[in-house]
Amino acid sequence: MKINQIKNVVLPLLLLFCLIGCSEDKAPQTYPPTLVTNSAAELTRFEALLSGSVVPHANSVVKAEVFFLFAKGNTLVDAEEFTATPDNTTEGRYVCTIDGLTPGNEYCYSICARSGGSIAKGEVIKFETLSSTAPVPAATIATNINENGALLSSDITDNGGQNVTQRGLLTKFIRKVCRSQPRLTKPGPSAWKPKLSVSRFPTCKPKPSTSSELSPSTRREPDMERPSLSQPKS
């Protein structure tokens, strides 16, 4: 009899304690942080700096793992995970440097946070690496210059984004013709002498005329024959 009375008292008390304990317990909840994906910076042909900021939820007590999803193209279908490093200069900012990229290609990425089995993603940002350009050579230097030639040397300061497959120097030769000054020498026996023969001018002879053609008060000038030059003898 006493045992039954004890059971009737103890069992309700245990049930009451269980109900009170369950009512005080709260189900665990995950509070995702606020994620902001920044634009890519320090873009080159082969590298890019990814960055983003993370603002934890006020009620969150679990620290989330921050990383970047990065992929070639404009979607994160085949994205790879890259570890995000906290930026010491700005609180809540994370960065990651990606290298080995291809010049002139499009890429995309997003900052993410993982807590347990839940993953929160930020906005997807796209960017394009710099395109390849023509190689930039340094100034050509000529050394060991003499009457037979010279040693030409140069270097490439920027390969333009691709490996240089051929090198060389383009030269242009200019021949300068030096004309020697004529030298004066005394003519020898066989020296060539120019010959020029000019005949004398003939004397002017008056043209005969009759006295009947002249009037007493008129004076007629004699007609002059035009002198001629004879051809030089060969």
Side-chain angles (χ1 to χ4, degrees), residues 18-40:
C18 290
L19 293 175
I20 294 174
C22 292
S23 62
E24 291 180 355
D25 290 340
K26 294 182 180 179
Q29 297 182 6
T30 301
Y31 301 98
T34 302
L35 304 175
V36 179
T37 308
N38 299 331
S39 299

mmCIF file of all heavy atoms in Angstrom, residues 18-40:
data_model
loop_
_atom_site.group_PDB
_atom_site.id
_atom_site.type_symbol
_atom_site.label_atom_id
_atom_site.label_comp_id
_atom_site.label_asym_id
_atom_site.label_seq_id
_atom_site.Cartn_x
_atom_site.Cartn_y
_atom_site.Cartn_z
ATOM 1 N N CYS A 18 10.215 17.337 -15.674
ATOM 2 C CA CYS A 18 10.549 17.197 -17.102
ATOM 3 C C CYS A 18 9.885 18.276 -17.937
ATOM 4 O O CYS A 18 10.488 18.850 -18.850
ATOM 5 C CB CYS A 18 10.120 15.810 -17.592
ATOM 6 S SG CYS A 18 11.130 14.479 -16.913
ATOM 7 N N LEU A 19 8.633 18.573 -17.619
ATOM 8 C CA LEU A 19 7.926 19.613 -18.363
ATOM 9 C C LEU A 19 8.552 20.976 -18.135
ATOM 10 O O LEU A 19 8.685 21.784 -19.048
ATOM 11 C CB LEU A 19 6.452 19.622 -17.950
ATOM 12 C CG LEU A 19 5.644 18.379 -18.354
ATOM 13 C CD1 LEU A 19 4.217 18.468 -17.778
ATOM 14 C CD2 LEU A 19 5.582 18.260 -19.862
ATOM 15 N N ILE A 20 8.967 21.261 -16.914
ATOM 16 C CA ILE A 20 9.590 22.560 -16.612
ATOM 17 C C ILE A 20 10.930 22.689 -17.335
ATOM 18 O O ILE A 20 11.273 23.711 -17.915
ATOM 19 C CB ILE A 20 9.764 22.719 -15.093
ATOM 20 C CG1 ILE A 20 8.400 22.790 -14.419
ATOM 21 C CG2 ILE A 20 10.583 23.968 -14.778
ATOM 22 C CD1 ILE A 20 8.480 22.811 -12.909
ATOM 23 N N GLY A 21 11.721 21.598 -17.340
ATOM 24 C CA GLY A 21 13.020 21.637 -18.001
ATOM 25 C C GLY A 21 12.898 21.812 -19.503
ATOM 26 O O GLY A 21 13.659 22.571 -20.120
ATOM 27 N N CYS A 22 11.964 21.149 -20.121
ATOM 28 C CA CYS A 22 11.796 21.276 -21.567
ATOM 29 C C CYS A 22 11.290 22.639 -21.957
ATOM 30 O O CYS A 22 11.615 23.162 -23.013
ATOM 31 C CB CYS A 22 10.827 20.194 -22.054
ATOM 32 S SG CYS A 22 11.503 18.520 -21.910
ATOM 33 N N SER A 23 10.499 23.262 -21.122
ATOM 34 C CA SER A 23 9.972 24.583 -21.449
ATOM 35 C C SER A 23 11.059 25.651 -21.398
ATOM 36 O O SER A 23 10.999 26.655 -22.084
ATOM 37 C CB SER A 23 8.835 24.948 -20.491
ATOM 38 O OG SER A 23 9.318 24.997 -19.162
ATOM 39 N N GLU A 24 12.094 25.434 -20.558
ATOM 40 C CA GLU A 24 13.168 26.416 -20.440
ATOM 41 C C GLU A 24 14.207 26.257 -21.554
ATOM 42 O O GLU A 24 14.912 27.204 -21.881
ATOM 43 C CB GLU A 24 13.844 26.281 -19.075
ATOM 44 C CG GLU A 24 12.939 26.728 -17.922
ATOM 45 C CD GLU A 24 13.624 26.580 -16.590
ATOM 46 O OE1 GLU A 24 14.756 26.035 -16.571
ATOM 47 O OE2 GLU A 24 13.049 26.989 -15.562
ATOM 48 N N ASP A 25 14.338 25.054 -22.116
ATOM 49 C CA ASP A 25 15.314 24.846 -23.191
ATOM 50 C C ASP A 25 14.842 25.522 -24.468
ATOM 51 O O ASP A 25 13.643 25.536 -24.776
ATOM 52 C CB ASP A 25 15.506 23.345 -23.448
ATOM 53 C CG ASP A 25 16.229 22.682 -22.284
ATOM 54 O OD1 ASP A 25 16.878 23.416 -21.530
ATOM 55 O OD2 ASP A 25 16.132 21.444 -22.163
ATOM 56 N N LYS A 26 15.803 26.105 -25.236
ATOM 57 C CA LYS A 26 15.524 26.759 -26.505
ATOM 58 C C LYS A 26 16.217 26.004 -27.631
ATOM 59 O O LYS A 26 17.358 25.551 -27.476
ATOM 60 C CB LYS A 26 16.004 28.212 -26.499
ATOM 61 C CG LYS A 26 15.239 29.077 -25.515
ATOM 62 C CD LYS A 26 15.720 30.514 -25.596
ATOM 63 C CE LYS A 26 14.953 31.397 -24.617
ATOM 64 N NZ LYS A 26 15.415 32.808 -24.664
ATOM 65 N N ALA A 27 15.536 25.898 -28.726
ATOM 66 C CA ALA A 27 16.125 25.213 -29.870
ATOM 67 C C ALA A 27 17.275 26.056 -30.443
ATOM 68 O O ALA A 27 17.165 27.284 -30.542
ATOM 69 C CB ALA A 27 15.069 24.986 -30.942
ATOM 70 N N PRO A 28 18.438 25.447 -30.790
ATOM 71 C CA PRO A 28 19.570 26.202 -31.363
ATOM 72 C C PRO A 28 19.195 26.776 -32.732
ATOM 73 O O PRO A 28 18.553 26.114 -33.539
ATOM 74 C CB PRO A 28 20.675 25.165 -31.472
ATOM 75 C CG PRO A 28 19.953 23.849 -31.518
ATOM 76 C CD PRO A 28 18.716 24.009 -30.694
ATOM 77 N N GLN A 29 19.610 28.001 -32.968
ATOM 78 C CA GLN A 29 19.320 28.675 -34.226
ATOM 79 C C GLN A 29 20.617 29.219 -34.828
ATOM 80 O O GLN A 29 21.546 29.570 -34.101
ATOM 81 C CB GLN A 29 18.325 29.823 -34.015
ATOM 82 C CG GLN A 29 16.962 29.373 -33.513
ATOM 83 C CD GLN A 29 16.007 30.531 -33.356
ATOM 84 O OE1 GLN A 29 16.321 31.659 -33.718
ATOM 85 N NE2 GLN A 29 14.821 30.251 -32.808
ATOM 86 N N THR A 30 20.653 29.274 -36.192
ATOM 87 C CA THR A 30 21.806 29.802 -36.916
ATOM 88 C C THR A 30 21.464 31.181 -37.440
ATOM 89 O O THR A 30 20.456 31.372 -38.124
ATOM 90 C CB THR A 30 22.180 28.879 -38.086
ATOM 91 O OG1 THR A 30 22.474 27.578 -37.570
ATOM 92 C CG2 THR A 30 23.388 29.418 -38.828
ATOM 93 N N TYR A 31 22.324 32.157 -37.125
ATOM 94 C CA TYR A 31 22.114 33.530 -37.559
ATOM 95 C C TYR A 31 23.184 33.867 -38.603
ATOM 96 O O TYR A 31 24.366 34.018 -38.258
ATOM 97 C CB TYR A 31 22.197 34.493 -36.384
ATOM 98 C CG TYR A 31 21.180 34.199 -35.293
ATOM 99 C CD1 TYR A 31 21.545 33.459 -34.159
ATOM 100 C CD2 TYR A 31 19.884 34.658 -35.422
ATOM 101 C CE1 TYR A 31 20.617 33.199 -33.167
ATOM 102 C CE2 TYR A 31 18.940 34.401 -34.420
ATOM 103 C CZ TYR A 31 19.317 33.664 -33.315
ATOM 104 O OH TYR A 31 18.376 33.387 -32.331
ATOM 105 N N PRO A 32 22.825 33.931 -39.857
ATOM 106 C CA PRO A 32 23.843 34.194 -40.885
ATOM 107 C C PRO A 32 24.351 35.629 -40.783
ATOM 108 O O PRO A 32 23.597 36.563 -40.463
ATOM 109 C CB PRO A 32 23.086 33.967 -42.191
ATOM 110 C CG PRO A 32 21.662 34.232 -41.861
ATOM 111 C CD PRO A 32 21.464 33.793 -40.434
ATOM 112 N N PRO A 33 25.629 35.837 -41.081
ATOM 113 C CA PRO A 33 26.178 37.195 -41.078
ATOM 114 C C PRO A 33 25.773 37.942 -42.343
ATOM 115 O O PRO A 33 25.298 37.359 -43.315
ATOM 116 C CB PRO A 33 27.679 36.963 -41.012
ATOM 117 C CG PRO A 33 27.871 35.654 -41.699
ATOM 118 C CD PRO A 33 26.663 34.828 -41.383
ATOM 119 N N THR A 34 25.998 39.229 -42.324
ATOM 120 C CA THR A 34 25.773 40.063 -43.511
ATOM 121 C C THR A 34 27.055 40.083 -44.340
ATOM 122 O O THR A 34 28.117 40.475 -43.837
ATOM 123 C CB THR A 34 25.385 41.494 -43.106
ATOM 124 O OG1 THR A 34 24.200 41.438 -42.296
ATOM 125 C CG2 THR A 34 25.118 42.342 -44.327
ATOM 126 N N LEU A 35 26.945 39.669 -45.592
ATOM 127 C CA LEU A 35 28.114 39.545 -46.468
ATOM 128 C C LEU A 35 28.039 40.565 -47.596
ATOM 129 O O LEU A 35 26.992 40.724 -48.236
ATOM 130 C CB LEU A 35 28.197 38.131 -47.062
ATOM 131 C CG LEU A 35 28.221 36.977 -46.043
ATOM 132 C CD1 LEU A 35 28.170 35.642 -46.776
ATOM 133 C CD2 LEU A 35 29.451 37.055 -45.158
ATOM 134 N N VAL A 36 29.158 41.235 -47.839
ATOM 135 C CA VAL A 36 29.258 42.222 -48.917
ATOM 136 C C VAL A 36 30.493 41.894 -49.748
ATOM 137 O O VAL A 36 31.615 41.907 -49.228
ATOM 138 C CB VAL A 36 29.347 43.662 -48.382
ATOM 139 C CG1 VAL A 36 29.483 44.651 -49.541
ATOM 140 C CG2 VAL A 36 28.128 44.003 -47.538
ATOM 141 N N THR A 37 30.281 41.583 -51.027
ATOM 142 C CA THR A 37 31.400 41.290 -51.935
ATOM 143 C C THR A 37 31.863 42.580 -52.600
ATOM 144 O O THR A 37 31.065 43.277 -53.235
ATOM 145 C CB THR A 37 30.984 40.274 -53.005
ATOM 146 O OG1 THR A 37 30.399 39.131 -52.373
ATOM 147 C CG2 THR A 37 32.178 39.833 -53.824
ATOM 148 N N ASN A 38 33.138 42.889 -52.454
ATOM 149 C CA ASN A 38 33.693 44.109 -53.056
ATOM 150 C C ASN A 38 34.203 43.817 -54.480
ATOM 151 O O ASN A 38 34.401 42.667 -54.857
ATOM 152 C CB ASN A 38 34.841 44.653 -52.212
ATOM 153 C CG ASN A 38 34.388 45.011 -50.808
ATOM 154 O OD1 ASN A 38 33.227 45.374 -50.594
ATOM 155 N ND2 ASN A 38 35.287 44.901 -49.851
ATOM 156 N N SER A 39 34.418 44.887 -55.230
ATOM 157 C CA SER A 39 34.964 44.747 -56.584
ATOM 158 C C SER A 39 36.422 44.314 -56.512
ATOM 159 O O SER A 39 37.155 44.652 -55.568
ATOM 160 C CB SER A 39 34.848 46.072 -57.351
ATOM 161 O OG SER A 39 33.492 46.451 -57.467
ATOM 162 N N ALA A 40 36.836 43.564 -57.505
ATOM 163 C CA ALA A 40 38.225 43.107 -57.562
ATOM 164 C C ALA A 40 39.160 44.301 -57.761
ATOM 165 O O ALA A 40 38.829 45.261 -58.462
ATOM 166 C CB ALA A 40 38.399 42.096 -58.687
#
